[in-house]
Amino acid sequence: MSKRIGFVGVGRMGANMARRLHDLKYPVTVVYDVYEKAAEELAKEIGAEASKKLARVTELADVIFTVVSDDAAMHKIFAKNGDSLLINAKGRIFINTATISPQTHIEVGKLCEEVGAEAIEACMASSIPQARNGTLYFMLGGKQEVIKEVEPILKDMSSSMRYCGPLGSAARVKALVNMVMNINTAALAEGLGLAKALNLDLNMIREVFSQTGANSRVLQTDGEDMQNREHTCFFSAEHALKDSGIALNLAKDVGLNLPLAQATYNQYQRLVKKGFGQLDKSAISELTFPDRHGLDKD
């Protein structure tokens, strides 16, 4: 692969994606982050340049992954004025991986086309370990011929990929994935919280759940953490709130009432307002267990 690769956003996910490609001898030439120290440390580790300018990323890379936090951050890096990835971007391919609104993906795609660049979605349904070892699950959106051009890179970062449709489609699918995941997380927190209040053995409860209709992927990833109050962040409560909000906005657009999604959003909103947004989404259990700081009291 002769295409030079850049990363914009090198937090835990972006940095580990860059490390994975570096391990496979891809030319990761430049990294950028609003937290300059993060970019500098990663650049030193993998032999890339830590750029302080977005335009420099476009200059030094042919394929650029963007791994940013929200719609506002996405609009900022693709701004029409000032420092921007759009400067001299003709011929570049942007692979946008963030969980943001479908409309923002579509808008960014149009901006890229205006300057002769291309943008695709590669939304991820995985976490930090999968980013590091190349077993991400990608939901792809955009022009299929553009995806084909960067497919070898994506295959080396993932265990599976699914094409969802034109730009915006992958973001819609990802919103549904995270909506259901967040609902499952909130439901598990309530189940374990009630079990605790009933003085049931939580190890036994988790085993029973795993063998019955109460089983879920969330039980595997979050159940023990909820029990042990281990909320080291793999997917933050703050992101859970944002993503549930994206799904609710989509539902509003088509006139659907989603009471479970709304209730889950409300719970994560409470958690974030109480200052726990940077903890893992499993911290929603702090609102449901009867003996935890009284966080169930507003």
Side-chain angles (χ1 to χ4, degrees):
M1 169 61 68
S2 60
K3 291 183 182 297
R4 302 167 300 166
I5 297 171
F7 278 84
V8 173
V10 288
R12 286 168 295 186
M13 287 299 289
N16 281 304
M17 292 160 69
R19 290 185 180 105
R20 167 67 179 176
L21 292 180
H22 172 71
D23 287 349
L24 296 178
K25 310 304 181 185
Y26 283 90
V28 182
T29 54
V30 60
V31 297
Y32 171 95
D33 199 281
V34 291
Y35 300 103
E36 292 181 2
K37 185 177 179 180
E40 289 167 359
E41 290 177 352
L42 179 64
K44 183 177 180 180
E45 178 184 341
I46 65 175
E49 178 177 315
S51 175
K52 295 184 179 180
K53 295 289 186 180
L54 291 164
R56 178 67 172 166
V57 177
T58 313
E59 178 184 347
L60 294 180
D62 307 298
V63 175
I64 297 134
F65 285 85
T66 66
V67 198
V68 298
S69 56
D70 53 30
D71 284 24
M74 195 70 166
H75 285 300
K76 186 172 182 179
I77 64 174
F78 286 101
K80 288 186 175 181
N81 301 305
D83 185 37
S84 169
L85 291 174
L86 296 174
I87 296 174
N88 297 321
K90 185 176 181 179
R92 304 302 191 261
I93 297 176
F94 295 97
I95 303 177
N96 299 321
T97 68
T99 302
I100 56 177
S101 68
Q103 186 58 36
T104 294
H105 275 293
I106 293 169
E107 290 169 0
V108 165
K110 290 179 179 177
L111 290 172
C112 289
E113 285 189 349
E114 289 174 3
V115 297
E118 297 285 355
I120 64 168
E121 300 169 278
C123 299
M124 303 177 288
S126 309
S127 192
I128 298 161
Q130 291 75 35
R132 186 65 184 91
N133 61 30
T135 57
L136 293 167
Y137 181 82
F138 281 127
M139 290 155 279
L140 304 176
K143 297 176 183 176
Q144 289 182 284
E145 62 270 23
V146 179
I147 292 172
K148 187 74 172 176
E149 191 171 346
V150 295
E151 189 174 47
I153 305 173
L154 296 174
K155 282 185 174 180
D156 278 337
M157 301 173 72
S158 65
S159 59
S160 187
M161 299 184 290
R162 185 65 164 87
Y163 180 69
C164 301
L167 274 179
S169 300
R172 293 185 182 97
V173 174
K174 178 64 185 295
L176 297 180
V177 168
N178 284 9
M179 179 190 79
V180 173
M181 177 183 70
N182 293 339
I183 290 170
N184 285 342
T185 307
L188 177 62
E190 292 192 0
L192 293 178
L194 178 57
K196 178 69 174 178
L198 295 172
N199 294 315
L200 295 170
D201 180 82
L202 293 188
N203 290 324
M204 177 270 290
I205 288 295
R206 288 193 294 107
E207 179 186 344
V208 172
F209 280 5
S210 73
Q211 300 302 313
T212 63
N215 194 20
S216 68
R217 179 71 65 84
V218 171
L219 175 64
Q220 300 170 29
T221 60
D222 292 13
E224 187 174 4
D225 290 343
M226 290 180 178
Q227 179 179 339
N228 296 332
R229 306 185 77 176
E230 170 52 60
H231 304 309
T232 300
C233 188
F234 289 89
F235 183 83
S236 72
E238 193 171 59
H239 283 157
L241 175 64
K242 169 181 67 78
D243 297 351
S244 290
I246 291 172
L248 286 171
N249 285 335
L250 291 175
K252 183 179 180 181
D253 289 343
V254 295
L256 280 184
N257 178 36
L258 303 179
L260 294 179
Q262 184 65 59
T264 300
Y265 176 88
N266 293 344
Q267 280 290 80
Y268 275 113
Q269 188 175 55
R270 288 178 62 205
L271 192 64
V272 170
K273 284 182 177 179
K274 290 174 183 291
F276 292 90
Q278 296 305 310
L279 294 181
D280 191 80
K281 65 182 174 64
S282 63
I284 196 171
S285 57
E286 299 296 314
L287 300 176
T288 62
F289 276 59
D291 57 345
R292 297 190 175 177
H293 300 314
L295 292 183
D296 55 332
K297 306 297 184 183
D298 286 316

